Amino acid sequence: MPITAKICGLSTPETVDAAIGGGASHLGFNFFPPSPRAVSFDTVAGLAARVPPHVTRVGVYVDPDDELLERSIAAGQLDAVQLHRVTPDRAAAVRARFARKLWAVVAVKSRTDLDQARGYAGAADCILYDARTPDDAALPGGMGVRFDWTLLEGFRHPLPWALSGGLDASNVGEAIHRTGATLVDVSSGVETAPGVKDAGLIAAFLKEVASAF
């Protein structure tokens, strides 16, 4: 299968264009206010207008209420919703109400963390395995932390899945070959500072993904 990539936390026209031009299959827009990558409704509306139909627009949230989901989905013309810190019941409710693809994030530090994924069968469309951040961390992701990829060896995935956590151009090829991931997700790995995406780093990351076919 071809390997695809999501560039997450985009906030400028230049980096959106770089992601699309480099072949990204998914673009992520952050709606978690504490994050340096968070975008306003007006900003995301302008960015979404640049995205061609074949590229999937994903909203990224942490415990959002329905009003935020409704307004951001409309502003960003979103195709999918990615939820951090979500229960299977809440994931199922959001998926049913908003009729969008639902990505549930499973934070991984140990093999037992993977067992959470099974709870989302029937409630989500995709599992995003991300590295577990410290309990006192302000953000649930986007901190450049990776987990031990060998934890995924032999695991029976209950749903289609994607790999995130500490990926960049220097290690994404190894990550793909070690885990068998067909969709990879990057945020801080294509930044020069928190929230500051770099078009050159995006291009380099996507080139490595393409070469991993």
Side-chain angles (χ1 to χ4, degrees), residues 5 19-21 23-27 51-58 77 79:
I20 295 167
S25 57
H26 299 69
L27 306 185
V51 183
H54 70 275
V55 177
T56 300
R57 295 172 291 261
V58 184
Q77 305 173 53
D79 305 298

Side-chain angles (χ1 to χ4, degrees), residues 64-142:
D65 59 28
D66 285 355
E67 180 183 1
L68 173 58
L69 287 164
E70 184 172 0
R71 294 183 67 188
S72 55
I73 287 170
Q77 305 173 53
L78 302 181
D79 305 298
V81 170
Q82 174 183 317
L83 300 180
H84 291 254
R85 299 175 183 166
V86 65
T87 65
D89 285 348
R90 175 60 174 157
V94 169
R95 184 173 179 240
R97 173 166 181 171
F98 295 100
R100 296 296 189 274
K101 296 289 187 182
L102 196 293
W103 293 28
V105 179
V106 170
V108 180
K109 185 175 182 179
S110 67
R111 181 65 180 245
T112 56
D113 291 328
L114 297 177
D115 293 335
Q116 299 172 64
R118 298 188 179 93
Y120 294 102
D125 299 281
C126 178
I127 298 295
L128 178 66
Y129 297 109
D130 198 0
R132 180 180 294 280
T133 55
D135 292 340
D136 59 352
L139 305 177

